[in-house]
Amino acid sequence: MRIVAPLEIEDYVVQTAEFMSPPRWHIGHTSWFFETLLQAHKPGYQIYSQDYLFYFNSYYEGFGARIERPKRGTKSRPTVRETLAYRNHIDSVMLEFLDSLKDQANGETILALVRLGLEHEMQHQELLVYDIKHLLCDQFAPQLQPLPASSGKAKGMAEIEGGIFWLGYSPPGGEGSSGAKDGSDNYVFAFDNEKPAHQVFLQAFCIDRAPVSNADFLEFMRDGGYSNFRRWFSEGWETVTKEHWQAPLYWELHDGEWMIRDFSGLHPAKSKADDPVSHVSYYEASAFAKWAGKRLPTEAEWEKAARGAPAENESRAFPWGDSAVAQSKANLLENMLWSPAPIGAFPEGASAHGCQQMIGDVWEWTTSDYVPYPGFKSDFDEYNDKWFVNQKVLRGGSFATPQLHIRSTYRNFFHPDERWMVSGFRCATDL
């Protein structure tokens, strides 16, 4: 609710594209998720409205009929006022229900579902930021904190040794786990697609110590990046020509100069030269990497660069170690920057290999297909496993990711042509 506070009433119901959702829908949908929990586990619970169950469902076939995603902005009812009343009602009933769990034999099972609901809500907090940017961009007026200065120490590529590596989430004390010595809440929970931890073999490789910057990407553009088909996958080139791409999303050409529009206004790209490039698709990231004589990392390479600590002979919970996420270590939603920070702005968050900003700022594309890990078992029906096809894995979180929500093992996933989310990348090479 703090995210939507600056919105006017007219803003809540607008859907700007088929892949976006109106802010009102996010508010209702996150409450709908908890109402499904109440339906299943609170004796005698009466549903709030059958119409709400239809409108606020997303893609859960098992919970009945639902409105099609592209049509979420075609209805003016329930009104914003009615949606807020629904949210307040569900919150009130949930708080009362939580107080009663100590008397229920299945209390721990219900609490696990509540945690899933909280993680689900944090996912929608981030999606809400994306949708508001697509809707209003610099017409939205959040409380912006000033961008931190760069330390200027994140250059070149880090050499990462090859060998056996434990990929994926393991609970504290489990095989392949860092131990998360501070008991960080980020590592108490993990989605099923992050599990089980398993051993993979990696050849030695190099990876950029920093994400690719706007300045780097502008150089690619000026060298014919969007006009030379030889740098693109065939499907990527088809997308470029069909969509008439000339630059990342939210870039605009004014009097021959590229400008970037974000929550704080319209800026010359050169004034944001040191910021990580964002809102690029997998196709664009791959084309840049080919142009640069490099490639994108696999998700295993990315995770080893983020978590590996050879001098300590173990894997860390986070790039900086096992201590909890903090605003001094990563640019996440609580930093209230509403933008990627300049490269080198978070030296405290560097990995053992000197890689910076692997958590926060921009989700980073990898070459890995979004498929189940060996031994995968679904923990949550219709949540992750139904998406294991035709998508690529991104790692690390963005400036819109809530602080409690991110882990080094977190696997995000999008189709290779999508760029409405806060997506960037760093490159790798064989050693």
Side-chain angles (χ1 to χ4, degrees), residues 217 220-221 224-228 232 237 240 245-248 284 419:
F217 204 84
F220 162 73
M221 291 165 54
Y226 284 87
S227 60
N228 188 341
W232 296 80
W237 184 245
V240 168
W245 286 353
Q246 300 181 63
E284 290 163 290
R419 58 184 197 159

Side-chain angles (χ1 to χ4, degrees), residues 57-356:
N57 189 357
S58 55
Y59 51 75
Y60 298 95
E61 302 284 353
F63 288 99
R66 67 197 188 284
I67 192 169
E68 296 175 21
R69 181 175 181 176
K71 296 182 179 179
R72 291 172 185 168
T74 63
K75 290 173 64 70
S76 60
R77 305 295 172 91
T79 65
V80 176
R81 178 178 56 81
E82 290 169 337
T83 302
L84 293 177
Y86 171 59
R87 184 178 182 86
N88 291 334
H89 169 78
I90 298 300
D91 283 351
S92 176
V93 177
M94 275 298 302
L95 289 172
E96 178 184 340
F97 181 54
L98 288 171
D99 284 340
S100 72
L101 289 187
K102 61 180 180 297
D103 301 321
Q104 297 203 32
N106 61 344
E108 290 299 319
T109 299
I110 295 172
L111 285 175
L113 293 173
V114 171
R115 178 62 186 261
L116 175 62
L118 297 175
E119 297 288 340
H120 170 261
E121 178 142 342
M122 285 187 277
Q123 288 178 318
H124 279 273
Q125 289 167 6
E126 179 159 5
L127 293 172
L128 185 57
V129 173
Y130 300 166
D131 287 349
I132 290 172
K133 185 172 184 178
H134 204 261
L135 172 66
L136 294 170
C137 207
D138 55 338
Q139 293 179 293
F140 186 65
Q143 291 186 343
L144 297 172
Q145 295 298 316
L147 289 171
S150 171
S151 67
K153 295 179 180 178
K155 297 180 180 179
M157 303 188 81
E159 295 185 3
I160 313 293
E161 69 286 350
I164 298 294
F165 174 69
W166 281 94
L167 175 65
Y169 172 86
S170 182
E175 199 165 22
S177 169
S178 69
K181 299 177 181 62
D182 71 333
S184 170
D185 282 343
N186 300 65
Y187 268 86
V188 172
F189 171 92
F191 287 112
D192 51 10
N193 65 3
E194 303 170 54
K195 300 179 283 188
H198 57 288
Q199 290 181 308
V200 297
F201 179 80
L202 294 176
Q203 299 287 350
F205 65 99
C206 295
I207 191 168
D208 289 341
R209 289 194 174 92
V212 169
S213 69
N214 287 325
D216 298 329
F217 204 84
L218 188 58
E219 186 179 348
F220 162 73
M221 291 165 54
R222 287 172 173 163
D223 195 32
Y226 284 87
S227 60
N228 188 341
F229 68 88
R230 291 178 176 85
R231 293 166 184 155
W232 296 80
F233 293 124
S234 178
E235 287 187 3
W237 184 245
E238 289 176 9
T239 303
V240 168
T241 55
K242 178 183 177 182
E243 302 295 335
H244 306 291
W245 286 353
Q246 300 181 63
L249 187 62
Y250 300 112
W251 286 47
E252 304 172 14
L253 193 60
H254 291 261
D255 298 324
E257 182 178 10
W258 282 107
M259 311 284 283
I260 300 174
R261 191 179 298 276
D262 62 18
F263 285 111
S264 64
L266 184 64
H267 314 273
K270 61 186 179 184
S271 72
K272 288 185 166 288
D274 294 332
D275 294 1
V277 68
S278 60
H279 296 290
V280 292
S281 66
Y282 173 79
Y283 294 144
E284 290 163 290
S286 296
F288 176 96
K290 187 173 183 179
W291 168 81
K294 300 178 180 180
R295 59 175 175 81
L296 297 181
T298 67
E299 66 170 320
E301 289 173 335
W302 188 97
E303 188 172 317
K304 184 167 185 180
R307 299 180 63 202
E312 302 165 21
N313 196 30
E314 63 176 15
S315 235
R316 297 173 167 184
F318 297 101
W320 54 82
D322 292 325
S323 59
V325 181
Q327 292 183 30
S328 63
K329 295 183 174 73
N331 176 21
L332 296 159
L333 182 61
E334 286 79 1
N335 294 60
M336 301 301 291
L337 301 184
W338 292 79
S339 170
I343 291 168
F346 292 90
E348 290 184 35
S351 73
H353 296 283
C355 297
Q356 295 196 25

Side-chain angles (χ1 to χ4, degrees), residues 380-397:
F380 322 112
D381 190 34
E382 284 199 271
Y383 205 93
N384 283 313
D385 52 339
K386 67 189 297 178
W387 307 113
F388 284 139
V389 62
N390 297 335
Q391 305 199 67
K392 291 291 185 180
V393 173
L394 300 90
R395 292 300 201 100

